Amino acid sequence: MSWTIGYGFKRRSYILYHTSRHFFSTQWAGGVILLFFVVVAMLLANLPFTAEFYHDLLHAPIGVTAGHFDSYFDVEKLVNDGLMMIFFFSVGLEIKREIVSGHLSTWQKAILPVAGALGGMIAPALIYTLFNHGTPYAHGWGIPMATDIAFAIAIMSIVGKKVPVAMKVFLTALAVADDLGSILVIAIFYGTTIHFELLLLAAIVLIVAWILNKLKVSELLVYTVIGVVLWLLFYHSGIHATIAGVLLAMFVPSKPKYNKKYFINKVRFLMEDFVTKDREVAVTENEEQMADLYRIRHIALDSASLSQRFEHLLSPWVNFVIMPLFALVNAGVPIESLEDLNIFSSTQGAGIVFGLWVGKPLGIILLSWLFVKAKLAEMPEGVHWGMFAAVACLGGIGFTMSIFMDTLAFAAQPHFIAAGKIAVLIGSVVAAVTGLIAVHFAHKAGGRQLGPAADEQK
């Protein structure tokens, strides 16, 4: 009996372990967890027995004191100004990878998603401005400009193979270009009083990083220290501190120290040496074999670029810790009455929702269509305009960067921030639902278009 219970427990544990491991390895896991924490944050902010605790938690002080130096943040500021620098560093690494060897590495690959991203930034900003020109909300024009790729991928996973692979690649590349545009908007328009002497020091630090890159220095710790120094300089400079992460990513080495041929030959030699030095003792007691293992480890590390190593190291932390914490801290908006959900109660809410829901897909489709018709770009292979328009609707999911811009745009008017967050959530949900419905009908329409041709071939 006890053996049966023990075996059953072990089997369930084994199944749970492998199921969870498979879940966290999927592309859409980050979006699902992000959505879960959005719901948790909304519940914590609105349930009567947790609302006060949630508010106190966000404003709990966290500080460092060393001699005469002391620096204090509350939890909300630590996440938005501190941990989000790591998120932006990760985004910067992704942008650099796509430019160096990915979807944005050539003019032919980059032109359509970049055009789509540009249109998808201009149109929502214009729509927001039409609603809010001359009002106290006018400074928030950047809020509906960004696409949240984590949520977009999670939504696309729901429809499975209905979305062609080429369109998934297009939307991913568009989101990367979109992030770059949003970062520029934050750096240029959403800073405060600028201290140029600190920016000069930051430039010197970046020059040091560039020199280290040219000297092929690829130590994680070195660039981590540089990142901390950059963050401090930007934090006090008047330009948002998270920009430091993006700039540093541009100077992290993207080429490995050793090429594939060297790696193969060197590891083969060390493995043969390892075998010849075998003794009738454990490897841990054989110093010569241990030396070979350490040399193999260092060669393996240096055969991947520092950019790749940083991405591999940070990806789970960004997707499953930093982003959920951002959602937990920022998505908890108190809703005192149904009137708070009325987006038409202010031009701010209407501008954000229509910017995301209408402006994003309209801008993506229009500018992409113009570039294709002008023969400056080509449509993704096997994709018709109906499916293109349907996937463009998913570009209106703007959670992370949109909420981040909302907090920056109205930092001097904090009473506008909560309404902006509600509008971002509503706009993103409406865009996601619209995108799902549009993909369904576009897939059916595409099947009907292909049907007669397929019959003729038969």
Side-chain angles (χ1 to χ4, degrees), residues 43-261:
L43 290 174
L44 288 175
N46 290 284
L47 291 175
F49 50 87
T50 58
E52 185 177 352
F53 164 77
Y54 179 74
H55 180 270
D56 292 343
L57 177 64
L58 294 188
H59 298 93
I62 297 175
V64 176
T65 302
H68 296 291
F69 172 81
D70 58 67
S71 182
Y72 284 88
F73 304 87
D74 60 20
V75 171
E76 184 177 17
K77 197 167 185 61
L78 181 65
V79 171
N80 289 344
D81 290 356
L83 293 183
M84 285 300 283
M85 186 245 184
I86 301 174
F87 166 76
F88 274 80
F89 178 61
S90 178
V91 168
L93 291 173
E94 184 179 3
I95 291 170
K96 186 177 181 181
R97 170 167 50 80
E98 295 295 341
I99 291 172
V100 171
S101 60
H103 303 134
L104 306 177
S105 59
T106 64
W107 172 264
Q108 291 80 5
K109 289 181 179 180
I111 188 61
L112 189 62
V114 168
L118 185 62
M121 295 176 69
I122 294 172
L126 288 175
I127 287 176
Y128 183 92
T129 302
L130 286 174
F131 276 97
N132 293 283
H133 179 68
T135 72
Y137 309 118
H139 194 49
W141 56 269
I143 297 170
M145 292 173 63
T147 296
D148 191 296
I149 190 58
F151 271 134
I153 288 177
I155 294 298
M156 281 195 292
S157 69
I158 295 174
V159 294
K161 295 182 179 179
K162 289 182 179 180
V163 175
V165 173
M167 281 310 298
K168 294 179 181 179
V169 170
F170 168 80
L171 189 61
T172 302
L174 180 143
V176 171
D178 190 288
D179 283 341
L180 181 57
S182 299
I183 288 162
L184 291 174
V185 169
I186 292 171
I188 298 169
F189 299 102
Y190 289 143
T192 54
T193 303
I194 297 176
H195 300 280
F196 289 99
E197 67 279 7
L198 294 178
L199 289 181
L200 178 61
L201 289 174
I204 293 171
V205 173
L206 287 172
I207 291 171
V208 171
W210 176 78
I211 293 171
L212 293 173
N213 186 333
K214 292 301 178 182
L215 294 174
K216 297 184 178 180
V217 175
S218 56
E219 297 296 327
L220 285 167
L221 181 60
V222 171
Y223 288 89
T224 302
V225 171
I226 290 174
V228 172
V229 173
L230 270 180
W231 178 80
L232 287 170
L233 290 171
F234 271 91
Y235 181 78
H236 295 286
S237 72
I239 293 179
H240 201 272
T242 53
I243 302 302
V246 181
L247 290 175
L248 177 61
M250 298 299 114
F251 293 91
V252 172
S254 57
K255 292 183 179 179
K257 187 175 181 180
Y258 303 127
N259 60 31
K260 184 167 66 174
K261 184 178 180 181

Side-chain angles (χ1 to χ4, degrees), residues 15-38:
I15 293 171
L16 179 63
Y17 168 75
H18 282 275
T19 302
S20 61
R21 187 174 180 181
H22 171 72
F23 169 75
F24 284 108
S25 66
T26 59
Q27 281 189 311
W28 44 267
V32 172
I33 291 176
L34 204 57
L35 180 60
F36 172 78
F37 275 88
V38 169

